Structures are given as C-alpha cells and as structure tokens.
Amino acid sequence: MNKQTSTVSDYIVEYLISKDITDVFGYPGGMVTYFMDSLSKKSDRIKSHVTYHEQGASFAACGYAQVSGKVGVAYATSGPGATNLITGICNAYFDSIPTLFITGQVNTFESKSERSIRQRGFQETDIVSIVKPVTKYAVRIERAEDIKISLDYAFDIALSGRKGPVLLDIPMDIFRSYIKTDLLVGYATHSPKIAQSPSSEYLNLLNDALSCARKPLFLLGNGIKTADKVGEIRDAINCLNIPVVTTMIAVDVAAGCKYNYGFIGAYGNRTANFLVSKCDLLISIGARLDVRQVGAKRENFAPTAKIIRVDIDSGELSYIVREDEIHIHDDISHFVEMLDKIDSRNYIEWISLCESIKEKLNGIDDKLPNHLIKEIGKSMSENAIITTDVGQNQVWVAQSLEIKKGQKILFSGGHGAMGYSLPASIGACLASSQKPTICFSGDGGIQMNIQELMVISREKLPIKIILINNHALGMIRHFQEMYFDKNYTQTTLAGGYAVPDFSSIANAYGIKYLCCENVKDIQSIDKNYFEDDEPVFIEIKIKEDTYVYPKLEFGKPNQDQEPLLKRALYDEINNMDVERIK
C-alpha cells in the first residue's frame, strides 16, 4: 500500500485548512520560506496576508481570533522575526485569545544545541525559552514525525480551559522534511476537568444569596466574551431583572441588557462605581478584579456586599478581594445554565435607586471628545466591528460609544499595547467576512504600527480609521500635569514629541482622507463612508489639553473620582439607599 507523503510545511497548511482557518498573517524570512511556499499552493483555500512588521501580524492574528472564535495564526522567521511577535503573544496571553504562532528556526545542524555559546546559526534565537512564561505551550519541533501530535496538542490547549497563545518553533530542515502522513501519531484531545461543585449546590447557593439580597449586582468580564456566551448571559440576566456593570474590555457584553450602568474602575462610569459601593451582593462573572477594576485598596471595593466570583482560572480566584468571598471555579459555559434556573425576584426599589443615581450624575463628565464619540457611533452599522488603541481614545470609546447589540469591541486589555488597533482591525475585518470595521486610534498609537495602512490599502479592506489627534501623548501628559508640576517632557511638541501630517500619509497610502474638528463636522460626513466597502481615514483634531474624566487618584475608593464631585452631591449619593427611594 502506498504511503501518503508530504513535506512538513505542506502538512501544516493542510492542517490549518482542516481547522477552518481562512486567513493567516506573517512577514517573509529565510527560515519560513518553505512554509510561505506551501501557503501559496493553497491560496484558494487559505489566504496569507503579508504585514509590514511581525508585531502587526501578531495583533492581526489576535483580532482574527477575537472575532471568529477560531485560532488566530501568525508566522515569522527566526531571530528578530520571532522576537517581534512577543508583544502580540503577551496580548493574547493576558486577554485569553487562542492563537498559534509559528516561528522558523535555523537548521538543526546549525543549532548551538548544548554548546556554551550565545549563537551558532545566523539569527538563531531560543524563542521557546523566551516566551514560555507568556504562552500555554511553546515547543521546538525536533523531529518531523512529531508535527501532528504537536499541532493537535497546541490547538487543544489553545482552545481549552482559559484560552491563550501557543508557539511552535520549527527548524528550516524540519519544514522541508518529508513525512508519511498516514503514519503520524496524533494527540487524543481532552479538555482538563475543572473541580466544580454539583449543579444543585451552585443553584442553591445562588438562590439563597439572591433571596437575602436587596441590592444585587452583576459584574460582567471579558471571560464571557472568550467563552462565546455573550448572548446567553444577556438573555439570562434580562430575565432576572438585575442591574449590570462591566469591566472596560467587556463593555459590549452588556449591550442589550435592560439595566446596564456602564463599566467600573479607575476610568469607569461614576454611576457604575457608586453602584458597586452600594450593592449587597456582587456576582462577578469572568472578571479578574485587578487593580484597575478594584482600586489600590481592595477592601474599599464593594465594601458591604457578599461577593461571588465565577472564573475558569483558579489562579485568578486566588487573588482575593476579601477572605469571605465565595468562589465558583467553573467554565462560564456551564455557569450560564445555572442562571437560567434561578428564581426571578422583584428588585424594583434597587433599580429605582440605580436610575436615580444615574440621573443625578448624567452629563457630569461629558466633554468634547465624549460628544464626538457619541456622534460617530450614530453612523456605525449595527453589526460593526470596533477596535481601539490604548490611551485616551480607548477610554472615550468605552465611556461614550452607545454600543448596539450586534456590535463587538476589541481592546488590548491586560497588556495595554499601543499600536494594537490598526493591525487588529485587519484581522477582525477579514474574520468577519469584511464587515465594516471601525478602527479608533490616537496620534501616538497609530504611529506604532502605521505601516499596516499598506495592508488596508493593498487589499481594499472596508476599515474606517478614526484618528483622534491632540498632538500629544494625552494619558501621560495628564499624569505629568497631576504629579510632575506640568513638566511635559516627551509627551508634547514642546517636550520633544511630534506628529506627522496625516493627510499626506493617507494620501501616500491611497486612502481617502477626511478632517473634522467639531461635532458639526462629524454630522456632515456622508454615512456611506461608514458602510461602503472602501477604506477611509478620518482625522479628528482636538486641543492638546484634553483629558479623560473621570479619573481615579491612586488609593481612593472607586466612586470618588477626579474631578471631585461637590461634596454635598457626593454625600447625598453616598447616603442614598433603597428605603429612601419613593
């Protein structure tokens, strides 16, 4: 019987196709030429998109995975190519994004192996050792016959439990080696079991807690998105008529929830932070409860509430807020089934209190950038994919975009990587079958990966780039104003930071350019620009001294944000309770 033979590189491409992966991202290099050639042979079934920096490829793979739910794939050559992927690998690790990174490596006969030298082969770098702390699995393929079991295991672990990145480092001679595909040994897929309580215990625990609570509150986190259970969670919570707040990177999860009061934390909505301070039961689902969400003094968070935390990662649960909190170590896919069985109750007085606080705080922090974001949102389609960078633009979008139920927002959350939005929008757009994609960025973030405009132009992707330009690194400038006596070194033009003429840059890349300076300018934009299949670059020019408000001063309770509320109003809201609402 004839044995089926294939090169390792051809086999990898066929394997990716079998996983229904339609797009991969990378940059050419010597050690991945065989893989590039194999991709070209199957270009009718899987598209290889050349980015202009490996970091761009890594972020594009993240965006692809976040929208498609599949494993995002990026590749790079050895040495600097591999190390340029690291920021995207970290982003995928901290935000639980399933991704596969394939790096080329020098031929096995060129490797330094156990020699006590720094390098033997040209561009030889031990990428596996470097990325092990920020991957779920990283391995160098030493034998061609190990490719199937390594791919099987990599895909299984990337998608199981708390999702995340994996890396396969493949020497060039392994890529070109021939293998007998029908003799390859695979990996028997199995998802790790989570130590969990019986369903009846879950249900009794939640019902008992809710029966005793007068002011219950759900806190929704990014884990709901990575579990792909957004719709189910929304439906269950709406049936329970319980108010909802979110973390910043989960703001889109609550779109469509009847009683949604925004996101919590240092830059969160004041209403959301006040509600956390007042609730007597907080049920946190898939939220890490890190410092940005909880505050520096964890004891100030939900001080009068019983806290129930649901998380797939026992490590996150070990970072406690209080000693008496209750942990449910479970997959959200299982937990949502419990929500559907909870007895509904009447929380009219609590909802009335929430609405009253929201009304008292309405508009207090609305500034020009917030108005601009709201206005742009009116032109976005109901199923638009939205990406943001890191910095002021990110917070303004989270605070002020009126998110429609079918929209999805992608952030660089835990890693907080500037330069994320533009390449992530490319992966997201391709994963969504080229739905209109809105890419928000600041003048600092866009320059981190500005070269990826060429991908958008080259492939005529319907990405709408919204650049908010205040000619400054606004977040750090604000920090310098507060703590460094307005010494704006390296963050403004006077301090050594500058921005280019973005109209000339858009023109150089062949992308239509529009400029806005106020709400009226945005209102005058033809809405077709947001819905057609062409890229467009919209620059919104605002003043240098623009700020993100509210903002929490380190060490204060979340609800006492800057600029400080008048103490009479702050005390009034602090003293409000359900008995006082008529």
Side-chain angles (χ1 to χ4, degrees):
M1 184 175 67
N2 293 328
K3 306 297 184 184
Q4 292 181 334
T5 59
S6 167
T7 64
V8 167
S9 63
D10 283 349
Y11 179 81
I12 295 170
V13 172
E14 288 288 356
Y15 189 96
L16 297 178
I17 291 170
S18 75
K19 296 294 184 180
D20 199 28
I21 294 168
T22 56
D23 301 88
V24 299
F25 309 90
Y27 193 83
M31 298 301 106
V32 287
T33 48
Y34 285 94
F35 183 57
M36 292 157 50
D37 188 66
S38 295
L39 284 166
S40 73
K41 298 174 187 175
K42 299 293 181 180
S43 60
D44 58 329
R45 299 173 68 191
I46 186 168
K47 299 292 184 185
S48 176
H49 304 272
V50 179
T51 60
Y52 293 87
H53 192 286
E54 291 88 353
Q55 187 182 108
S58 68
F59 284 152
C62 288
Y64 179 89
Q66 286 174 289
V67 170
S68 69
K70 306 172 190 174
V71 172
V73 180
Y75 62 89
T77 193
S78 61
T83 58
N84 281 342
L85 293 172
I86 293 174
T87 301
I89 293 171
C90 290
N91 185 77
Y93 186 70
F94 296 125
D95 284 359
S96 309
I97 304 171
T99 37
L100 168 65
F101 295 92
I102 296 173
T103 53
Q105 187 54 271
V106 300
N107 293 301
T108 54
F109 53 81
E110 294 178 294
S111 172
K112 72 185 184 73
S113 300
E114 301 303 318
R115 296 178 179 86
S116 58
I117 56 177
R118 293 190 177 186
Q119 186 185 55
R120 184 184 180 200
F122 173 64
Q123 293 186 332
E124 181 182 9
T125 305
D126 184 3
I127 190 64
V128 169
S129 296
I130 293 171
V131 303
K132 272 193 173 178
V134 289
T135 54
K136 295 188 70 179
Y137 173 63
V139 67
R140 181 184 177 189
I141 306 298
E142 300 286 355
R143 302 188 319 140
E145 294 78 13
D146 293 336
I147 190 62
K148 176 173 172 52
I149 194 169
S150 298
L151 281 167
D152 283 350
Y153 184 74
F155 268 76
D156 183 61
I157 198 169
L159 289 165
S160 64
R162 184 174 179 182
K163 299 173 185 178
V166 294
L167 181 141
L168 299 183
D169 189 42
I170 306 177
M172 189 179 187
D173 56 328
I174 299 292
F175 267 128
R176 65 175 178 261
S177 295
Y178 280 89
I179 49 176
K180 295 178 179 179
T181 59
D182 56 343
L183 298 181
L184 294 177
V185 176
Y187 172 74
T189 301
H190 71 280
S191 297
K193 292 184 178 180
I194 297 172
Q196 61 184 66
S197 305
S199 297
S200 58
E201 289 186 24
Y202 278 178
L203 189 57
N204 291 337
L205 185 154
L206 290 167
N207 270 322
D208 289 347
L210 285 166
S211 67
C212 296
R214 296 178 305 150
K215 299 176 291 184
L217 186 67
F218 279 109
L219 170 58
L220 310 183
N222 186 55
I224 296 168
K225 294 166 72 170
T226 59
D228 196 23
K229 292 296 176 182
V230 173
E232 292 89 338
I233 289 288
R234 283 175 184 161
D235 292 343
I237 288 176
N238 278 336
C239 289
L240 293 171
N241 291 314
I242 293 175
V244 170
V245 295
T246 75
T247 62
M248 180 190 283
I249 61 173
V251 288
D252 50 342
V253 174
C257 288
K258 286 187 288 188
Y259 303 113
N260 172 20
Y261 294 97
F263 74 96
I264 65 166
Y267 294 100
N269 303 99
R270 291 186 194 265
T271 300
N273 283 329
F274 266 109
L275 297 189
V276 171
S277 75
K278 289 182 172 296
C279 70
D280 60 9
L281 173 63
L282 183 72
I283 302 174
S284 170
I285 308 174
R288 293 191 299 118
L289 300 187
D290 67 356
V291 173
R292 283 292 183 96
Q293 296 165 2
V294 171
K297 296 181 179 179
R298 294 176 77 77
E299 65 272 18
N300 287 339
F301 183 76
T304 61
K306 173 186 284 189
I307 298 176
I308 298 175
R309 297 176 61 183
V310 184
D311 206 294
I312 198 170
D313 188 339
S314 60
E316 296 294 351
L317 293 173
S318 70
Y319 184 30
I320 62 172
V321 177
R322 281 202 300 278
E323 291 290 343
D324 63 348
E325 65 189 30
I326 297 170
H327 295 166
I328 298 177
H329 181 212
D330 196 9
D331 190 323
I332 289 169
S333 299
H334 303 149
F335 181 75
V336 70
E337 297 174 11
M338 294 299 100
L339 287 182
D340 289 331
K341 299 175 183 177
I342 292 174
D343 301 330
S344 59
R345 292 175 176 82
N346 188 331
Y347 299 106
I348 292 176
E349 288 185 334
W350 171 225
I351 291 168
S352 178
L353 173 60
C354 296
E355 289 295 316
S356 181
I357 293 173
K358 179 180 178 181
E359 185 178 343
K360 287 182 181 297
L361 294 171
N362 186 40
I364 281 181
D365 296 303
D366 280 358
K367 307 297 180 186
L368 177 60
N370 301 88
H371 296 157
L372 295 170
I373 296 296
K374 284 181 181 178
E375 200 60 42
I376 291 169
K378 294 176 183 178
S379 298
M380 294 182 191
S381 66
E382 292 188 354
N383 62 350
I385 309 296
I386 300 153
T387 64
T388 81
D389 228 307
V390 171
Q392 290 179 318
N393 72 93
Q394 175 189 40
V395 181
W396 288 326
V397 168
Q399 288 177 339
S400 300
L401 189 67
E402 295 179 356
I403 306 164
K404 302 177 178 73
K405 191 174 179 180
Q407 293 175 342
K408 179 176 285 191
I409 305 183
L410 313 185
F411 298 98
S412 175
H415 200 44
M418 290 177 68
Y420 165 82
S421 188
L422 191 64
S425 73
I426 293 168
C429 183
L430 291 166
S432 67
S433 301
Q434 300 198 20
K435 289 180 182 176
T437 305
I438 314 298
C439 165
F440 283 95
S441 194
D443 51 271
I446 199 169
Q447 293 186 83
M448 292 281 189
N449 280 308
I450 199 167
Q451 73 283 344
E452 306 310 336
L453 288 171
M454 192 68 250
V455 179
I456 295 171
S457 174
R458 183 190 72 216
E459 303 198 16
K460 295 181 171 55
L461 299 176
I463 295 174
K464 321 303 177 180
I465 301 133
I466 312 292
L467 173 67
I468 303 176
N469 183 6
N470 62 353
H471 294 265
L473 299 176
M475 281 286 208
I476 307 304
R477 181 193 178 280
H478 191 182
F479 195 76
Q480 291 169 329
E481 180 172 317
M482 293 177 67
Y483 301 107
F484 293 91
D485 196 27
K486 300 184 179 181
N487 179 21
Y488 301 131
T489 179
Q490 303 177 44
T491 58
T492 66
L493 181 58
Y497 169 82
V499 301
D501 177 357
F502 287 107
S503 65
S504 297
I505 286 177
N507 183 62
Y509 283 106
I511 299 174
K512 186 173 181 61
Y513 171 87
L514 302 173
C515 182
C516 301
E517 296 186 17
N518 51 52
V519 171
K520 286 186 178 180
D521 288 346
I522 292 173
Q523 290 172 337
S524 68
I525 296 175
D526 188 335
K527 288 189 177 181
N528 287 329
Y529 283 125
F530 290 90
E531 297 174 355
D532 64 23
D533 57 0
E534 295 291 330
V536 64
F537 191 117
I538 302 174
E539 180 180 10
I540 301 175
K541 295 181 178 180
I542 58 177
K543 293 180 180 179
E544 177 188 299
D545 57 341
T546 51
Y547 305 95
V548 167
Y549 286 126
K551 173 183 170 65
L552 185 66
E553 185 178 326
F554 189 81
K556 285 192 171 183
N558 277 8
Q559 70 272 18
D560 200 11
Q561 295 163 286
E562 303 283 337
L564 296 177
L565 294 176
K566 292 180 180 180
R567 293 298 88 178
L569 177 59
Y570 180 80
D571 291 341
E572 178 188 356
I573 296 174
N574 253 354
N575 292 327
M576 292 172 68
D577 208 341
V578 291
E579 292 88 349
R580 299 192 176 105
I581 297 298
K582 296 181 180 179

